[in-house]
Every structure is written in C-alpha cells, then in structure tokens.
Amino acid sequence: SDDLGSSWQLIDGQVENPNQYHLNSIITADNGYVYIVGENGIGFTSENNGQTWQTMDMPYDGSLFGIASKRDSLVAFGLQGNFMVSNDNGASWEASNIGSSASLLGGVIADDMTASLVGHAGIIVRFNVNDISNLSLHRHPSSAVFSSVLIRDNSLVLAGQFGMTTWLVK
C-alpha cells in the first residue's frame, strides 16, 4: 500500500520464493532497509522500500520466525533455539544455538546492542550482538510461551500465552 492501507497491490512475485515457503516476519530497519525471514531459512532484503528484493544467504535451513534490527545489526531467530547475527545489514551471518529445543518467537535489540529473544517455555535469551558467544539464558517463572518482546524503562515487556508481563533487565 502506498496510501496508508486504503488500497493494496499484491507484490508476492517480487521475491524469489519458487517453493512458496512461509514468510513469517517483515521489518523496516533503522537504516530504511526492509527484511523478511521465513520457513527453510529463507531471507530477503530490500534497499528501496520493497520495490526490488535480494535473497540473503542465511546459515540455517530451518524455520525463522522473526528478525530484529538496530543500526547495521540484525538478529534472526527461530526453530529449536537457533539464531543468527549479522553486523553488516545481512551480507554475512554468524549462526548459534541457545542449547535448548525451545523455539524463539520474538526479539528486540536495545540501544546498547543487547539482543533479547523470547520463546517457548518462558525462555529469555540475552547477548550483545558483537559477542554472541557470551549469552545468558533465563526462564520466566510462568514458563509461558512468549511471542513478542520490547524494552521499556530498563524492563522487558513480554507478550504471550498468559497476556503481558514485565521482566527487569539486570
């Protein structure tokens, strides 16, 4: 839509997705780029607000449920605790895993470049995007499935299975 949703034009043919994999998340980054991630590790980027798309070479071939951005850094995350970080607008990626089978469904990157990812079983994962080897893994006492997270007043606001709650960032 170019008129705030009054009318719509289908543009699904603009991305190279011949197997029709599910596209699970789309974001606009601080730098104006648009990113899409989805099933089978598929990823796309657009530098011109979706007029043209390039395929990103993702280092994981499982489902990606979301992507978060801050400056030139991206964190894509998904099935069975897999996540990956790019610090060059998606040109290259470093993959990792949280060491748990809990899928990651939501994520955000703070101004200090700390990523917070949430998902199944109350999982909360935190790490600096410049050092993914040093991650902290927490479990919310509710063990709820969290699908979304944002940062507000030094706390994480978590949304999911049992509604909304906060988690004090330490």
Side-chain angles (χ1 to χ4, degrees):
S1 175
D2 59 10
D3 57 10
L4 300 176
S6 293
S7 63
W8 293 89
Q9 178 183 4
L10 185 63
I11 61 168
D12 65 339
Q14 291 181 344
V15 295
E16 201 172 309
N17 188 7
N19 295 317
Q20 297 183 337
Y21 292 125
H22 295 117
L23 305 177
N24 295 324
S25 182
I26 184 169
I27 62 166
T28 301
D30 298 339
N31 58 14
Y33 290 22
V34 181
Y35 297 95
I36 298 174
V37 295
E39 186 180 22
N40 205 48
I42 200 164
F44 302 100
T45 182
S46 174
E47 298 176 19
N48 55 17
N49 204 30
Q51 297 302 309
T52 59
W53 293 90
Q54 295 75 45
T55 301
M56 291 188 292
D57 187 18
M58 307 299 282
Y60 173 65
D61 62 3
S63 289
L64 296 172
F65 299 127
I67 186 167
S69 72
K70 182 65 71 177
R71 300 186 196 100
D72 294 337
S73 296
L74 302 167
V75 178
F77 45 88
L79 196 62
Q80 297 182 334
N82 286 285
F83 70 94
M84 58 224 58
V85 173
S86 172
N87 289 307
D88 56 10
N89 295 313
S92 64
W93 294 87
E94 181 180 359
S96 191
N97 185 288
I98 64 170
S100 165
S101 63
S103 292
L104 302 168
L105 306 175
V108 65
I109 304 172
D111 289 338
D112 70 357
M113 303 309 285
T114 299
S116 298
L117 307 178
V118 297
H120 289 172
I123 260 323
I124 301 169
V125 182
R126 304 195 73 232
F127 58 90
N128 188 287
V129 297
N130 297 307
D131 180 14
I132 67 173
S133 66
N134 188 20
L135 62 86
S136 62
L137 185 63
H138 310 273
R139 190 172 307 271
H140 191 272
S142 70
S143 295
V145 174
F146 294 113
S147 57
S148 187
V149 58
L150 61 86
I151 300 169
R152 179 80 175 174
D153 298 331
N154 205 35
S155 291
L156 298 179
V157 179
L158 310 167
Q161 181 180 12
F162 300 130
M164 294 178 59
T165 188
T166 58
W167 179 273
L168 183 60
V169 175
K170 297 176 184 174

